[in-house]
Each structure stands twice: as C-alpha cells, then as structure tokens.
Amino acid sequence: MHKIKSTNFTRLLFFIVLGVGLFLLGNRVDELRVYQGATLAMYVIAISSIILLTGYSGQVSLGHGAMLAIGGYAAALAHEHLGLPIWICFSIAVLAAAAAGAVLGTAAARLSGPYLAGTTLALAVGLPSIANQFPILGGEQGLLFDVGAPPARLGADFTQYKWYFWIAALAALIAIWWLQNILRSRYGRMWRAVRGNEVAAELAGIHIGKSKTLAFTVSSGLAGLAGGVLAMTISTVSPSAFPLSLSFSLLTGAVLAGVSTLSGVIIGALTLVATPEIADAISRRLGNSENVTTNLPGLLVSALLILVVLLVPNGPVEQWRKFRARSLHEVTHR
Amino acid sequence: MYQFINTVLIGITSGAIYSLMAIALVLVWRSTRVVNFAQAGMALLSTYIGYECIQRFHSFWLALFIAMIAGAGIAAAVDSVFMRTLFRRVSHGPIAGVAPIIATLGLLGLIRAGLGLFVGNADVSIRPPVSNIGYTISGHTLAFSPLKLVIVSSAMTLMLALSLLFSKTNIGLSLRASAFSPEIARLAGVKVDRVRTLGWAIAGAAGAAAGILQTPNGTGALSPDSLDFSLLLVFGFIAAVIGGLDSLLGAVLGGLLLGLVLAFVLTYISGSLVFITAFVLLIIVLLVRPQGIIGMNRGRRA
C-alpha cells in the first residue's frame, strides 16, 4: 500500500477538511448533540494536554482539573473586568494556566512520579476552596462567562449552542494541529528522549529539568484553553465546575486514549461524553434512585480507569497496532 | 497566653491524625514504592464500617477496633489481589512508571462512588464518645476538650505500639528488611510478598484509625464525597513528604509540624489561608529539602 507522506502541508489540509466536515455535521444534528460536540472538543483539548505530559514526558498530573480551573477563571475575569473579545480571553486563559504550570513545573521538574502526582492532587483538592475565599472569584456561585450571542449574519436559526460548538471545535482543531507539530519538532524528540532514558538524554545534551518544565508549561497552557472552553459551554465558572472527579475523568480519558498516542484522543473524549448518557440509561432502568444517579457516572469512570490500566495499559489504539503487527507477521511467515 | 496554649493543643491533636495518615502512606511507600492515593478511600470505607458498629453496639472503642481490623483486611486484599495483578501485567511501556499511581487513584474513585451507591451521599454523624466541651482552667475555657484528649492519646498510643512493633519484634525486623532490600531479605528467608501484604494491612489499620478519629475531631459529619477525607489524604501526604516519605519517625514529626503550623495560621492569621499554607509548605520542602526533615542526603528517586 502506498503511504502518503505526512508533511506540514498535508496535515494542515487534513485539519481543514476535518473542520469543514465538523461544520457540515454541526448543521445536521439536534441541539443536544451540538452541545455534546462542544463538550467533546473540550475533552479533546484537555486529554491531549495530559497525553503530552504523561505520554511524552513521563510525568503524571492527578490534578489537571486545577489547571482547567485556572484557565476558566482567567478567561471569565478577563471577560468580566476588562471586557476583552472572546479570542483574547481564551489566549489569556492559556497564558494564565501556562504561567501557573511554569511555576509548578519548576518544582515538578525536580520531582519524580509520586511527588508530582501528590502535589498536583493537593492542588486539585485545594483549589476550589481557595476560589471560595476570594471575593473577586465570586465564591460558591462563581463568575458568569457569557461569550455573547452568535453574530446576526449567521442567520436567525443559528443557535447559541451551535455557536459554542463552532468556537470549541475551532479551538480544538487549532490546539491539536499545533500540538502535533510541536511533537514532531525537536521539542517532541527531546521529550521522548527524556521519557525513554533520562541518563542517555542528558548525555546527548538535553537539559532534563528544562525539558520537563517546558512540557508541564505547554500541557498546562492547553489545559487552560480547555478550561476556557468548558467555562464557555456552561457559561459560568464556579468551584463546583472543577471537582476532583473532573481530574479523574481526564486521566481516564487519557489512559483510554493510550497515553502515548495522540490519535487515540478522540476515543477517550467520546467515552467521557458518552459515560453520563450510559449512566443515565442504566439508572433509568434501575428506577432512578438518587444514590444511583449521583454515583453511577463516577463509578463507571473509575471502573473504566482501573480496567484499562489492568487490561490494555498502553491504550486500545496501541494494543490494536500490536495485534495487527502480530497477525501480519503470522501471515507473512506462514 | 491561653490562646497560645489552645493553638498548640489543637495543632497537636490534628497533627496526630495527620501523622497516622502519613504513617499509612509511608508504610506502603516503603514496601511497594507506591504512594497509595486509595488510602483515603480505604479509610473512608473503614470509617463507615466503624459508624455502623457505633450504631449497632453504641461503643466508640469497639468501633475503632473493628474499623482498624476492617481497614487492615481491605488493604491486604487490595495489595494481594489488585496491586499484584497490576505489577504482573503492567511491567513495561510508557505507562509502567505511572500505572500504579493511576490505578490507586482509580481505586479511590471506585470506593467513593461505590460507597455512595450503597449508603447514599447524605451526611451521617459520628457521635463523639466523650464531651467536646473544653476544659476550664481558672475561668478560661480551653479549646482542648476531653474528646481531643481521647483523640490525641489514642493516636499517640497507636504510634507507640507501631514503633514497638517495628523495633522490638521479629515481624518488625522482617518488615524493615523487606523495605530496605527485598532481594537480600528474600535470601535471608523472609517471605517478602507476605510481609509486603502485612505492611499494607498495618497501613490500612493506621488509615482507618485516622479516619475514625478525624471525623469527630472535625464536624462529626461523614459522607462518601466529604472533602475531609480528601484533605486528610493531602495533609497526610504533605506530612509524609515533610518527613521524607521513607521514615516512620519522619511521618510522625511531619504530621505534628504540619498540624502546629496550620493551627497557628488558623488562629493568628486567617482560616482561609490554611490550605494555601499547607501547599506552600509542601512546595518549599520539595524544593529546599526534598529528602525530608530527617532524611539522609540521598536526593529524590522514584
């Protein structure tokens, strides 16, 4: 089979085609699906930020929900107090989360595995309570984040959620395209080298600490963008929008995507979007008791996380590749 | 002056609870090289079992005892069934280094959601065994009550028992040997796998005790998604890191130090800074003295 050589141009073209496809799709489905599409785009950005961190630089963050929260609050603050246009708000979300990530990453670069995990977990546990204590962050109610109605020239039947979906999908496409490029650049090679063997990478002239800090910073920036998108789709930021279970879900999505394969990110995102619906269907069948409806989504996500780590630790995409490689091998050597 | 004494006493009480949690984390870390984030879930489960006992038998002490036994059982089961499978299946690939962390976190979520499924998310309350009204000394009412005395003395007794176990018994010797070098311990005839499970069991009991003592020390309310247990885990982790993550004495000192610092911040500055202080303390320790306050100068290794 002839393999198309992947160049910058073909990849850009691919993303443009994907974007047009999404645009056409967005016009054909109902409101709920459009809303889910926006959520899906948010998950794609957030999960890819974890994949970058865990799969490409070998660090693990249990509290990426905190980075989303920083991004969301930054966007909402910029919008409410400075009245900036929405795109600048998103850029501010990215920058704010990246700055926080740089600070944490400097500490994190010196920490390995469990220390970083514990530190990020602490941040995710504590951040909501911090947000409660500063009046500028709006306390328990949080802040409104209203990106405004869609432009009038898009027509009268262009709904609010469709507008959210457009913005979210565009943000996700740009983020993934950019991330793919950076993973193919010398930075991507640097991160993979450090993950593979720290000593060998250091001998090859890579500064381990700087490399890890950079990975953490970029990953946090992406998470901040996801936070901005999340805040937009629910049009508010509050401590309860970024619970600890959000961090758990994102990690589950990343593991499902296969932490080292960016192409699996859509599997993780789809699963996260589908889980509440599946949980809903099951709890309806079980008679809608309150215990079931509140806890079933969390139960499913955690169970999925454990099962994937135990059964297909490198993710279904990687597993499928391995399986195909093995069967090809058998065919050719028969 | 009274305020100062009050603050010290409150700090020691909550510090002792953090110490117990830190001990649980350190024990697992020493034997398995995993920070057991599921510890909060196991403690939560044991505390619920303890709560059921209080409802049935109306005895706090019996409940504490049963909860600790249950905690030990849960932890031993988690190690021998779950962790062992994990280590056997996930030994290479980019995820191998982080799989245990992710798996314990998944277990934490599973226990919390599963518990919520069965008992519901409404608060239940653990009635304190003794009065929580402060002692009065020459007209001043202290914040230190009989309840706090009970909490701090039970925690201290448990820690004392643990230190005796580790320093004076053969079991303690094999626990230390397996943690120090599993290979050599195995050659010397220690059944390392079994000892490891025992280490988890002791950790589970310590965590259960922390959970049962912590609940009446705080608001007395207990629910599967209570923030208290997440905070207990985080503060236990911070205490363990302050102590170097490898040392039981360090865990105890780290817990007391953290408890005192937080109590002083709470009394003299502001309640809203408690968590930020703990977090900053963690970052400072990690940056300045990553081997912990009493750790040897070895640097960090995962």
Side-chain angles (χ1 to χ4, degrees), chain A residues 115 122 126 133 291 295 302 310 313, chain B residues 89 95 109 116 120-121 272 275 300:
Chain A
Y115 296 95
Q133 282 143 8
N291 289 358
N295 292 299
S302 313
L310 278 181
Chain B
R89 295 196 55 102
I95 201 174
N121 292 61
S272 58
F275 186 82
R300 275 273 170 261

Side-chain angles (χ1 to χ4, degrees), chain B residues 40-289:
Chain B
M42 298 177 185
L44 185 66
L45 195 54
S46 322
T47 306
Y48 259 95
I49 293 173
Y51 164 76
E52 281 299 319
C53 290
I54 293 180
Q55 296 305 96
R56 294 243 166 96
F57 310 119
H58 304 284
S59 159
F60 184 82
W61 299 109
L62 184 65
L64 178 64
F65 180 71
I66 294 180
M68 283 176 67
I69 300 284
I74 296 164
V78 166
D79 176 55
S80 54
V81 178
F82 183 65
M83 295 313 282
R84 224 167 269 181
T85 321
L86 181 77
F87 282 118
R88 209 174 46 240
R89 295 196 55 102
V90 190
S91 54
H92 54 86
I95 201 174
V98 296
I101 300 173
I102 295 176
T104 55
L105 193 75
L107 200 59
L108 172 59
L110 194 69
I111 293 177
R112 279 168 65 151
L115 200 58
L117 204 60
F118 285 109
V119 302
N121 292 61
D123 279 351
V124 296
S125 69
I126 288 194
R127 217 169 334 108
V130 287
S131 141
N132 195 15
I133 298 165
Y135 289 111
T136 310
I137 295 175
S138 58
H140 289 271
T141 307
L142 290 179
F144 196 71
S145 60
L147 175 67
K148 300 233 188 266
L149 184 66
V150 163
I151 290 172
V152 76
S153 48
S154 342
M156 293 295 178
T157 313
L158 288 173
M159 287 190 255
L160 197 68
L162 259 181
S163 77
L164 286 178
L165 175 78
F166 266 85
S167 55
K168 302 282 184 209
T169 65
N170 278 337
I171 297 174
L173 188 64
S174 49
L175 275 163
R176 278 187 294 154
S178 312
F180 178 70
S181 167
E183 241 5 76
I184 296 174
R186 190 171 285 130
L187 290 176
V190 177
K191 293 194 171 55
V192 173
D193 278 349
R194 220 176 283 175
V195 168
R196 201 180 89 163
T197 307
L198 182 68
W200 273 72
I202 298 174
I212 283 251
L213 294 176
Q214 134 95 20
T215 307
N217 186 41
T219 53
L222 179 67
S223 89
D225 40 23
S226 102
L227 183 65
D228 286 353
F229 275 82
S230 309
L231 284 180
L232 183 63
L233 175 70
V234 167
F235 288 159
F237 175 76
I238 295 176
V241 170
I242 292 175
L245 204 52
D246 234 345
S247 140
L248 287 175
L249 179 63
V252 174
L253 294 180
L256 292 178
L257 180 71
L258 183 67
L260 282 173
V261 169
L262 295 187
F264 273 95
V265 169
L266 181 69
T267 317
Y268 288 97
I269 308 175
S270 149
S272 58
L273 287 179
V274 166
F275 186 82
I276 302 177
T277 310
F279 191 73
V280 169
L281 197 63
L282 172 68
I283 297 284
I284 290 175
V285 169
L286 286 173
L287 287 180
V288 179
R289 213 176 151 72

